Amino acid sequence: METVPGEARALRFEEVCYGKPVRTLNGPLHESALYGVSSVTPGIADPLRYIPANFLGNANLTSSMIDPEFSGRGALIVKAVDEGLAIMRMRYRAEAGEGEGGRQFLLSRMLLLPDIHHWHEIPPGLFSWCEQSLGAQPYVFDQPSEPQTRPVELPAFKARDVNWFDNLSQRRQIQLGSAFQAITRRVGWTVSRTVAEEEKQRPAALIAADLDVISSLPRKFPLRPGDADQFILNLGLDPQLTPGAVSYFPGHRGSAIEAPDLQALRIAIISSEENPGAETGVKHTSGSSDSLDRRIGSEPIPLKWLS
């Protein structure tokens, strides 16, 4: 899958939707409501693999596992699987109607982008589009339930260069470096609210934007270390359910990474400028440490509390 910096990109994906049927989009449950797959596109061989409990490892999900700040739109989970890149929006909704009180039910929408197995194959801008625009709506009982493989148009993504990186604030560089290090070393990370406030962005939007920058770099870093599925991003869901994912979970207002390897990220950005769209073979001296070349999961990232 090729991407062209600065141009909008139309993507086609497979889809699985899950939940209970409702009478109207914002109304109560239908009388015969039962949990099930409400729609699936033809390219999905095993739709039950992509319902929330199975997607998260047979977890016994409850509404308390989704942070209240994400309860309206739901948690966002991205996972590398055999087929490619799977993206799920998952939320709870009141049985009595949208925004009502009382009992709730789980619903989800999963998109699959096939044949994506390396970070540089992820279309830049995908994470931000998912964070902002991907929603999960219930199935209305008497409406057609067979969606077509539909296109999504991503906004144009402007490539970042080393001057852009050097002009970021120190805190902003540290935040971006932490996401880069979390991805390249397979360890989780919690985004800093302090940096998000400085950037005038929601924390979830900030980390999605950071991952878009990382996916725009040309290094062929795999999405998963072997044959096992690998969580990549978790926004708003209990981090214990998606170990190793870059995650944001509210509550750590001043947290930031301690001494991320910013030189490794800067080298990757420079390599992107020198070799656009191609894998770089740059070798570094022993004095500079490249996170991409380290043993995966070798050390946890220490946290440092900042005022």
Side-chain angles (χ1 to χ4, degrees):
M1 180 175 292
E2 300 295 331
T3 58
V4 180
E7 293 186 7
R9 176 64 192 269
L11 299 177
R12 292 189 176 274
F13 52 80
E14 302 291 343
E15 177 177 327
V16 176
C17 295
Y18 172 83
K20 293 182 178 181
V22 295
R23 297 181 190 174
T24 62
L25 188 61
N26 295 317
L29 287 179
H30 190 267
E31 291 81 353
S32 60
L34 294 173
Y35 272 119
V37 174
S38 57
S39 64
V40 57
T41 51
I44 300 291
D46 182 10
L48 292 180
R49 181 184 176 191
Y50 295 110
I51 66 174
N54 293 337
F55 194 69
L56 296 173
N58 297 315
N60 184 21
L61 297 168
T62 65
S63 58
S64 64
M65 294 177 178
I66 300 178
D67 189 273
E69 290 191 20
F70 289 82
S71 60
R73 288 191 300 159
L76 178 66
I77 306 99
V78 181
K79 188 178 185 181
V81 296
D82 282 340
E83 298 86 345
L85 193 67
I87 307 161
M88 178 177 286
R89 177 71 75 179
M90 181 186 73
R91 70 183 180 105
Y92 277 84
R93 180 213 192 259
E95 292 184 349
E98 196 72 60
E100 300 291 338
R103 290 180 55 181
Q104 297 182 321
F105 69 97
L106 178 65
L107 68 154
S108 67
R109 180 184 178 195
M110 192 286 304
L111 309 183
L112 177 67
L113 290 173
D115 301 323
I116 292 181
H117 303 291
H118 292 82
W119 270 92
H120 78 282
E121 295 170 339
I122 299 175
L126 177 65
F127 291 104
S128 292
W129 177 85
C130 291
E131 196 281 323
Q132 296 170 12
S133 303
L134 179 59
Q137 295 294 345
Y139 160 58
V140 179
F141 185 77
D142 57 354
Q143 292 186 358
S145 61
E146 294 294 333
Q148 301 299 315
T149 304
R150 65 184 72 178
V152 162
E153 184 168 314
L154 301 183
F157 179 83
K158 183 178 179 181
R160 301 331 195 232
D161 59 19
V162 72
N163 291 327
W164 169 83
F165 178 76
D166 289 342
N167 287 326
L168 296 175
S169 69
Q170 184 180 27
R171 282 181 181 270
R172 183 70 180 86
Q173 287 185 351
I174 289 173
Q175 180 63 63
L176 179 58
S178 71
F180 178 78
Q181 190 159 288
I183 286 299
T184 57
R185 296 177 64 185
R186 310 283 185 187
V187 287
W189 172 239
T190 303
V191 71
S192 169
R193 281 177 172 267
T194 302
V195 180
E197 291 171 358
E198 291 175 352
E199 294 292 312
K200 296 182 171 60
Q201 293 191 62
R202 290 177 292 106
L206 175 65
I207 201 165
D210 285 352
L211 297 187
D212 283 332
V213 172
I214 295 170
S215 68
S216 72
L217 304 179
R219 295 294 294 270
K220 288 189 176 180
F221 188 76
L223 290 175
R224 54 184 190 168
D227 295 332
D229 293 349
Q230 174 75 38
F231 287 106
I232 293 173
L233 174 64
N234 167 7
L235 293 177
L237 187 70
D238 188 339
Q240 294 182 357
L241 295 176
T242 55
V246 174
S247 60
Y248 163 66
F249 202 70
H252 303 291
R253 181 177 184 82
S255 62
I257 196 168
E258 183 175 347
D261 190 354
L262 297 183
Q263 179 67 6
L265 175 56
R266 194 172 187 276
I267 289 171
I269 293 173
I270 292 173
S271 298
S272 179
E273 295 177 49
E274 294 173 346
N275 302 283
E279 182 181 12
T280 177
V282 175
K283 298 295 183 181
H284 311 301
T285 64
S286 59
S288 64
S289 177
D290 186 349
S291 294
L292 290 168
D293 298 328
R294 293 174 177 166
R295 183 182 298 276
I296 291 172
S298 58
E299 300 174 6
I301 296 180
L303 296 181
K304 179 179 180 181
W305 296 98
L306 302 178
S307 59

